[in-house]
Amino acid sequence: MSTIVKICGLKSAEAVAAALAAGADMIGFVFFPKSPRHVSLDEAAALAAAARGRAEIVALTVDADDAAIAAIRDGLRPDWFQLHGKETPERVAAVRQLAGTQVMKAIGVAEAADVARNVSYAPVVDRLLFDAKPPRDAALPGGNGVTFDWDILAAGAGGKPFMLSGGLDPDNVGAAVRRLADVPGFLGVDVSSGVERGPGEKDAGRIAAFVAAARL
């Protein structure tokens, strides 16, 4: 099976076009005002129009309330919600029901216990995303450009499908895919800051290189 590649934090038509041209399977829009990748709902809807039917559309939220989830559901019509905050398993289940979409929960990882501790999410999500736990002084829950020891995921996620994020870039994604290729449940990789020339500014060349390296 070909590695699934998600390019997250897209803010411009040029970045969306680059992701599609490179063959990305999923594109993500960030709804979190503190992030340099934040977009308005109107902006995301306009950008997603070019991608609909060509790549799965992902809405990334951070502890969003019901009103925000419903607005994104109706205005963007995403294929996925990616929950990147401190949502409990109960909240994830509620969002999944309200959104009527597939849901992916991001889990911060620094040690093996972080994976084991979050098996409670498995029954209420369609997919898990293992991301590097943010530094203590980080303002953002993801997109910080830091990695974690991929060997922590050697046993998989209890049979649940999962993707990898955290500090990936065109230079190391091939090694990550090779390390996890035979791990039960591993589906693919997610990148944001690793394909940027500056915070929130995607680079078409880096996007193309990342996708190519992920599929070697």
Side-chain angles (χ1 to χ4, degrees), residues 91-198:
R91 178 57 183 160
V92 172
V95 169
R96 191 168 182 255
Q97 182 173 11
L98 174 62
T101 67
Q102 298 180 91
V103 169
M104 176 163 41
K105 178 70 178 87
I107 304 295
V109 177
E111 57 187 10
D114 294 319
V115 177
R117 194 178 299 126
N118 288 286
V119 295
S120 55
Y121 287 98
V124 295
V125 297
D126 298 281
R127 191 176 297 175
L128 292 166
L129 174 69
F130 291 112
D131 194 4
K133 187 173 285 187
R136 288 187 180 275
D137 60 348
L140 305 176
N144 292 297
V146 295
T147 60
F148 65 93
D149 182 0
W150 304 320
D151 286 343
I152 291 172
L153 298 176
K160 198 71 183 179
F162 73 93
M163 295 179 69
L164 174 70
S165 188
L168 298 177
D169 60 35
D171 296 323
N172 67 13
V173 68
V177 170
R178 288 190 293 273
R179 173 64 188 88
L180 298 176
D182 295 326
V183 172
F186 174 67
L187 295 179
V189 292
D190 179 16
V191 67
S192 190
S193 62
V195 291
E196 293 178 345
R197 55 178 174 267

Side-chain angles (χ1 to χ4, degrees), residues 35-120:
S35 171
R37 302 164 190 99
H38 172 71
V39 289
S40 71
L41 183 51
D42 287 344
E43 289 171 330
L47 293 171
R52 199 171 302 279
R54 300 175 63 187
E56 291 188 297
I57 296 164
V58 183
L60 187 157
T61 62
V62 180
D63 299 313
D65 61 20
D66 284 358
I69 295 294
I72 295 168
R73 174 197 66 196
D74 297 339
L76 181 62
R77 295 186 293 120
D79 300 291
W80 290 82
F81 269 84
Q82 178 177 319
L83 307 183
H84 231 289
K86 297 180 180 179
E87 300 91 355
T88 64
E90 293 76 19
R91 178 57 183 160
V92 172
V95 169
R96 191 168 182 255
Q97 182 173 11
L98 174 62
T101 67
Q102 298 180 91
V103 169
M104 176 163 41
K105 178 70 178 87
I107 304 295
V109 177
E111 57 187 10
D114 294 319
V115 177
R117 194 178 299 126
N118 288 286
V119 295
S120 55

Side-chain angles (χ1 to χ4, degrees), residues 27-39:
I27 60 169
F29 299 104
V30 174
F31 297 95
F32 186 55
K34 292 182 180 180
S35 171
R37 302 164 190 99
H38 172 71
V39 289

